[in-house]
Amino acid sequence: MLNEPKGCAAIPFEKKKIAVFGAGGYLGSTVFGFLQRAGSIYGTGISGLSSPRALAATSTSAEALNKVLASSFKLAYAGEDLIRLIDTSDVDHIIERVRSYDAAVLGTTYQLEKRAVTLNSYEKTPNDKTYDFYLDEKYGAWENDVPSDDSEYHVQLFMNAVQACLESGTIRHLVVIETPRTYDPQVFVNILEEAGIPYTYIRVKGTLIKDISFSFDKGVKDSLAISQYRAGTIYPIDAEVYENERPIYREDVAALVVQSLMSLDWQESRILEVSSSPNSLKNFVPDSKSRIDRDWCVGSQLLAQSLGEQTVSFGQLREMGMATER
């Protein structure tokens, strides 16, 4: 069967629970929203019971998440049962909040914002401060007095999250989004390789933009072009090539994350390079007979098709000695 799913949608009655790190960021919130919709529809293999779970450092992220859900997902809402605050410096603390979950979505370098630790969470004194972390950014975040994007803080945060997922004993697959802030992607890939958890690493070849009027019923804007790298090795994207690429919508990347969980084998690792398709789509306008309530994302089948048709990247060809320089 063409594009038959190999991920969680392959056995839809075995519903999988997904955790999202940095869900207060716009991209993280949109991933959460799509997961929440997918969990309400049979056939996706994604659980809607205590899932998805938003992981953040302070209650600021919960407020930001619910703003996105309310505006983009028809007044959807994440209650306290779906949100957990974590001390990102404490692996054991993270483990307790991802245990019993089957997969997790992470970013590489998050946007940081210095905030007071939420009372009755993990504070030691009433004046404790921490860095909330957003995938990939929260509009209006105050970025003064935070570690720079090339700081070791980001590497340690990522390492702690991956280690917690590994030691949870239940996480079987990670989906990692390379954010535009990422200074050295290979560092994060190395952490994944050393941990040994199968992963899907998504890097976007082009500027990320936002559809300011986005609603889930508009569907995807771009079917996306996807190339695959061998897991463990990542090649730098030439700055000139990057600047010449067409922009990619954050909403399409979020939908791709969810579709990859459904379509791709969780037992394998891969690096996906994503760029805009030569044939971008027009906004979906449902007719009177359309039942968008049956779709977690309108047009998601196009993303499933793109994942099924992923090509070997130039870097992979070069590695195999099959590419020629121009």
Side-chain angles (χ1 to χ4, degrees):
M1 181 178 177
L2 185 64
N3 297 326
E4 184 175 358
K6 298 178 181 179
C8 59
I11 311 178
F13 57 85
E14 293 183 1
K15 292 180 175 292
K16 306 301 183 185
K17 297 198 294 183
I18 317 296
V20 182
F21 285 79
Y26 181 74
L27 186 52
S29 296
T30 308
V31 170
F32 185 98
F34 280 134
L35 285 169
Q36 199 171 44
R37 284 199 53 77
S40 68
I41 298 172
Y42 182 77
T44 63
I46 291 175
S47 175
L49 183 63
S50 300
S51 175
R53 169 164 287 181
L55 298 171
T58 76
S59 60
T60 300
S61 281
E63 296 169 7
L65 168 61
N66 277 311
K67 284 182 180 179
V68 172
L69 294 179
S71 63
S72 299
F73 291 90
K74 301 297 184 185
L75 301 179
Y77 181 76
E80 292 183 359
D81 60 318
L82 296 179
I83 300 170
R84 292 293 184 273
L85 304 185
I86 59 173
D87 179 353
T88 56
S89 66
D90 187 341
V91 173
D92 290 335
H93 193 265
I94 304 172
I95 290 173
E96 291 304 314
R97 284 143 187 83
V98 297
R99 183 170 285 144
S100 82
Y101 280 71
D102 301 289
V105 178
L106 303 88
T108 47
T109 301
Y110 298 93
Q111 181 188 50
L112 302 177
E113 183 178 30
K114 194 171 187 178
R115 308 288 304 188
V117 176
T118 304
L119 293 178
N120 300 318
S121 58
Y122 55 88
E123 78 280 9
K124 295 180 175 63
T125 73
N127 298 318
D128 281 354
K129 302 288 185 182
T130 189
Y131 297 116
D132 211 344
F133 58 105
Y134 309 128
L135 176 63
D136 62 325
E137 61 180 38
K138 179 175 77 70
Y139 297 98
W142 187 255
E143 295 189 73
N144 284 10
D145 194 24
V146 298
S148 62
D149 290 343
D150 61 352
S151 167
E152 281 296 311
Y153 181 90
H154 296 281
V155 175
Q156 191 63 54
L157 192 161
F158 185 80
M159 188 181 300
N160 289 350
V162 172
Q163 187 66 25
C165 290
L166 174 65
E167 295 185 19
S168 72
T170 61
I171 297 285
R172 294 175 45 211
H173 197 81
L174 301 177
V175 179
V176 179
I177 304 169
E178 181 184 302
T179 67
R181 298 169 176 268
T182 305
Y183 188 73
D184 186 355
Q186 188 65 56
V187 171
F188 298 94
V189 172
N190 289 344
I191 292 171
L192 293 167
E193 286 291 309
E194 290 170 10
I197 303 179
Y199 63 87
T200 298
Y201 184 100
I202 298 175
R203 67 184 330 206
V204 177
K205 190 178 178 183
T207 303
L208 282 174
I209 59 175
K210 175 186 176 182
D211 177 1
I212 60 174
S213 63
F214 175 74
S215 176
F216 81 91
D217 54 4
K218 292 175 67 175
V220 297
K221 288 180 171 292
D222 193 325
S223 58
L224 302 178
I226 301 172
S227 300
Q228 182 173 346
Y229 283 80
R230 179 176 63 84
T233 304
I234 197 161
Y235 295 92
I237 297 177
D238 185 86
E240 184 177 349
V241 172
Y242 184 92
E243 292 172 0
N244 290 333
E245 290 287 334
R246 288 185 297 274
I248 298 176
Y249 283 93
R250 285 177 164 86
E251 298 83 8
D252 289 349
V253 175
L256 179 66
V257 168
V258 179
Q259 188 62 58
S260 72
L261 285 166
M262 298 181 199
S263 296
L264 302 181
D265 190 341
W266 285 24
Q267 297 183 47
E268 298 179 2
S269 294
R270 60 192 64 82
I271 296 174
L272 303 180
E273 185 177 275
V274 179
S275 56
S276 179
S277 169
N279 300 309
S280 295
L281 309 174
K282 295 181 179 180
N283 287 354
F284 174 81
V285 179
D287 59 34
S288 58
K289 296 182 180 180
S290 295
R291 289 292 305 273
I292 58 174
D293 58 319
R294 294 179 179 175
D295 290 322
W296 67 270
C297 174
V298 177
S300 59
Q301 68 274 14
L302 297 173
L303 298 179
Q305 182 177 344
S306 293
L307 285 168
E309 296 174 348
Q310 56 191 276
T311 60
V312 178
S313 69
F314 178 81
Q316 186 83 25
L317 292 173
R318 182 174 58 189
E319 188 176 75
M320 294 186 294
M322 298 171 62
T324 58
E325 300 290 346
R326 291 183 180 275

